[in-house]
Amino acid sequence: MNHRQRTETAPAWRDAALTPQARADALIAAMTLREKTAQLVGLWVGADGEGDEVAPHQHDMEEPPDLDTLLPYGLGQLTRPFGTAPVDPAIGALSLLRTQQRIAAANRFGIPALAHEECLAGFAAWGATAYPVPLSWGATFNPDLVRTTAAAIGHDLRAVGVHQGLAPVLDVVRDARWGRVEETIGEDPYLVGTVATAYVQGLESAGVVATLKHFAGYSASRAGRNLAPVSMGPRERADVILPPFEMAVREGRPRSVMHAYTDTDGLPSAADQDLLTGLLRDTWGFTGTVVADYFGIAFLKTLHGVAEDWSDAAGLALGSGVDVELPTVDTFGQPLFDAVVSGAVPERLVDRALRRVLVQKAELGLLDEDWSPVPAALADADLGDPRALRGRIDLDGPANRALAAELAEQAVVLLRNDGLLPLRDPARIALIGPNADEPTAVLGCYSFPVHVGSQHPDTPPGLELPTLREALEKEFPGSELRTVQGVTVDGESTAGIVEAVRAAKRADVVVLALGDRAGLFGRGTSGEGCDVESLELPGKQRQLLEAVLDTGTPVVLTLLAGRPYALGRAVTEAAGIVQCFFPGQAGTRALAGVLSGRVNPSGRLPVSVPAHPGVQPSTYLAARLAQAGEVSSTDPTPAFGFGHGLGYTEFAWSDLEVQQAETTTDGAFRLSFLLRNTGARAGTDVVQLYLHDPVATVVQPVQRLVGYRRIELAPGAACRVELTLPADLASFTGRDGERIVEPGALELRISASSTDARLTAPLRLTGPVRPLDHTRRLHPTVTVHQLPAAATP
């Protein structure tokens, strides 16, 4: 049968020659209300370890629903078939395909489910590469590398039958006490926006639906507590929280957005029609699906108290713009059905959400007549013998491992170096600290071995996770290495400090391994629900640090952590400080490489490191009143500011030329300067552009990042960096809530960090106040011209 014959006999929604929208409309017209609502829910499942169909997941929130009751009407999504329990990837893919066959066969339209997984630090599946967490992505200041990494993650997801990834997180850090800081990209909206957009582009390029989360304001909760209310004015929301989402929607073209759990000024995100429909869709033009954060619709009743019952919660969320309930059937099942039948919720709202869901399924090929449940990774496999499939799919291949290593190396931030680093084959190294010999110290909360594997202690992690001890033994084969724990990450005992001091005194150098243990809901010191009251190092780590410093042996402090901590005396007394934010499976090798000099560090801080543990909430992106002053006895000045990072070579910034220092409010500034590697080895500098607006009609942060660029130079090499800055970059939300560009004086700080301006250019905008919208220019143009060797002084 040829294609024309097939489309003449098949229903219109099966016709791939029609637009996805036309196919969705044809299907909606044929569906009953029960079949419609079935497409708006997920089911939390786990793949079967023997390759049989998935089984509903028994979780804490509710009893699992009965498949036989659900499937005759269809099913919208399958929640985390790989990310619920350890399963061989090939067996998991077989289990998923068999389940998809059952789902398609059970409903009269033959529609399969859309499968989604977590992919915050790589595909959250057993045996999949554990990449660095998003805070490390931010530390690289390298969107291109993040885009490549996301494409690799997306390829692995798609190859085993997964359609949607629940990443990236675009929350801007406002309080580092929040447990989910490790999941964010940083404290600056421009850095978050550019890196997250690159991740979206990479994931979508692999055919996987990227999901922006958490929309919006989750990271600004009071006191840094998870799910706490958010107290935020409309300008902070518009100028800090929303720009990363706006950039990602516009430039990344994601096909899904997840609402936030929190409420802002009493209005929960899941019930905020102005946010989910007015801004996201009507203004920004988003056309994909809005999915619920897990149990978020039910929380409208249980946590927010704005819904009387499940039907009320369903109506509020659906009317506001939530299309899909995740992770499982709760409010969009029977309660929504009853609300429509009673007339409380118009059926047109169900149809609106359903159309978006079905358009997406059509785009993914799930409505095609020749759809097959067999994923690419099993295309040529013998599906009749599950035992023969084990080990067939490698989710941690050489290319993935190389990407994980490159990302980890570029994310290492050298905070301090008195000249001791890189180490020159010391005879005796004392490796001290709770993260000295802990394999999972490099992993964040959403990595599979921590997030799921911790509940299955008898199952191996499925990955090589070399400890820092093992990495140092390999990096310094001629050195005598003695390892002492000293204290645990968050324990109260200090008994081991005596042995640690003894080891430090006998060594030529101490590598002190401090930091976090990732976990969920209080089971770690970093991660979802692991919020802290201050930024003091967890447990008795500060006491260990001070005791080791007191020995007089040079100390290199290393941190494997999910958030920044106050480092006390180490800021001035440690010989070196190296910060890593959960750098993934290649993290200890990257850290060891920085210590030996094999890796020239190029990471920059995506969040400020505080000088004192109790000054939160505090970020560099703050107004004058938030700076240190004589009217307050507390000082929020960081020990190391946003954007800070050192390397093993030196760069000179000079010869600033301002070609256009004055322009109209719809024009652009043009400048250039010379960057030269004056050191003896190749290295990377990160040029950061900060804008200072000395006088504005509403209070502005003292400075804000408007652009950046990583530049690699050989020793002695130089380049001229040309900058074009549209006036749009100076825009902000004015008194009436409209985004504007105002005439007046500006200052561009061409900087190595937020605390290290190398060149400063006074600028001026002229002309009328100019209103802007979401089509404004978002980026400067940074052009690098390498100079010939003869032109290099």
Side-chain angles (χ1 to χ4, degrees), residues 731-753:
S731 68
F732 58 87
T733 303
R735 287 173 177 255
D736 61 358
E738 185 176 40
R739 181 170 288 278
I740 57 172
V741 178
E742 287 184 342
L746 296 170
E747 182 178 278
L748 179 66
R749 300 170 179 176
I750 305 172
S751 306
S753 76

Side-chain angles (χ1 to χ4, degrees), residues 468 471-472 475-476 587-599:
L468 185 55
L472 290 179
E475 200 75 31
F476 298 96
T588 56
R589 294 192 183 104
L591 175 53
V594 166
L595 297 183
S596 72
R598 173 176 55 82
V599 175

Side-chain angles (χ1 to χ4, degrees), residues 634-658:
T634 63
D635 184 354
T637 304
F640 302 102
F642 171 85
H644 170 76
L646 306 174
Y648 293 147
T649 191
E650 298 294 329
F651 289 86
W653 309 42
S654 64
D655 298 341
L656 176 64
E657 295 181 5
V658 183

